[in-house]
Amino acid sequence: KKNISIEQITILQSSLSKYSLFNHYTVALIQGADELSEKAKNALLKTLEEPNQKIIIILTVDHLDHLPKTIASRCQVIKFQPVPYEEIFEYLIHAKIDREESNILAKTSYGLPGKAILYANNPESLEKYQNLATTFCQILSRPLVEKFKKLSNVFDLKGTAFNENIDKVEEILNAWITILRDGLLIKSNNEYLINNIYIKKDLKDISKNHPMGYFQNLMRDIFESKILLRQNINPKIILENIIINI
């Protein structure tokens, strides 16, 4: 949950203060701990400074540098690396998914087994991502006015909460980075390594029309935009600024 509140941490602390009936370990999981509110961070820090026996608190974060050093220093950091394509592919084959679909799912998951399973169980999620990728290819190859039109037609951010807009735009930016990475791979004659294989033809056409520096600079701009996004800069402005620079 975004902006985890101090009230939620207080409830957690109350639960952790109760002893297990059979003296077993108590485990608490805080997902997205890099999105704790300031008051929640301070409250959690007190719990981490004075841990009770047989209590394990697991914090998951997308960006370790967004977690205060005072909290990170009191934790054992375990980094989860992407799972190799071959392992995800074999798992999907074992799950009775045909080879062609398993290949697409394993490639599109970018080393995240949970994402591959989500796409397998929810084809609409996969279709949404593929439409996102296709649209970005179209944006890359259109005149400026058409770029904005394409963006507004597909990414309508009206009527949603600010935090939800941030989530949507971050999802968009992450997808764009993977597509530009594939463009770089094609440009450097490493086509066999690309993940978005269903838009290979579009990527090849785009790569022909742009130098390698184009992809590198655009990826740098998007990474910088992701930082601005977490500094509460208007998501719509961030997207529009990227479009202007494409």
Side-chain angles (χ1 to χ4, degrees), residues 52-108:
N52 294 328
Q53 290 185 347
K54 292 201 169 183
I55 289 180
I56 298 174
I57 302 176
I58 301 172
L59 314 179
T60 67
V61 298
D62 289 329
H63 309 283
L64 184 59
D65 57 337
H66 290 177
L67 200 63
K69 292 181 179 179
T70 49
I71 291 179
S73 64
R74 287 167 173 78
C75 301
Q76 179 182 355
V77 178
I78 302 175
K79 296 183 178 180
F80 292 90
Q81 302 299 330
V83 176
Y85 158 84
E86 293 79 10
E87 292 186 24
I88 298 177
F89 178 76
E90 290 301 326
Y91 172 84
L92 296 170
I93 292 294
H94 186 71
K96 309 300 183 184
I97 299 175
D98 70 69
R99 297 186 69 84
E100 182 178 355
E101 185 179 357
S102 293
N103 180 44
I104 292 175
L105 293 172
K107 288 272 190 182
T108 311

Side-chain angles (χ1 to χ4, degrees), residues 148-243:
F148 277 105
K149 184 176 181 181
K150 200 70 182 175
L151 183 69
S152 62
N153 287 343
V154 179
F155 309 128
D156 183 10
L157 300 178
K158 296 179 180 179
T160 53
F162 187 77
N163 284 336
E164 292 176 0
N165 280 348
I166 290 177
D167 289 343
K168 287 182 180 180
V169 173
E170 188 162 36
E171 180 183 354
I172 291 167
L173 296 182
N174 287 336
W176 287 3
I177 288 170
T178 65
I179 296 162
L180 291 169
R181 168 193 173 274
D182 284 349
L184 268 176
L185 288 171
I186 291 174
K187 198 72 182 175
S188 58
N189 298 318
N190 289 297
E191 179 184 320
Y192 70 98
L193 291 174
I194 71 170
N195 290 74
N196 296 288
I197 54 180
Y198 46 88
I199 53 171
K200 185 194 302 186
K201 183 181 181 301
D202 292 331
L203 287 170
K204 280 185 168 183
D205 291 340
I206 293 168
S207 297
K208 290 177 184 177
N209 298 322
H210 297 286
M212 190 171 291
Y214 171 83
F215 297 97
Q216 294 170 329
N217 292 336
L218 192 48
M219 288 179 71
R220 183 199 62 220
D221 290 344
I222 294 177
F223 277 118
E224 291 175 353
S225 296
K226 288 183 64 176
I227 295 173
L228 293 174
L229 189 63
R230 289 299 163 181
Q231 295 175 351
N232 291 330
I233 304 298
N234 188 300
K236 186 172 183 289
I237 292 176
I238 288 176
L239 280 179
E240 289 177 347
N241 185 61
I242 294 173
I243 293 298

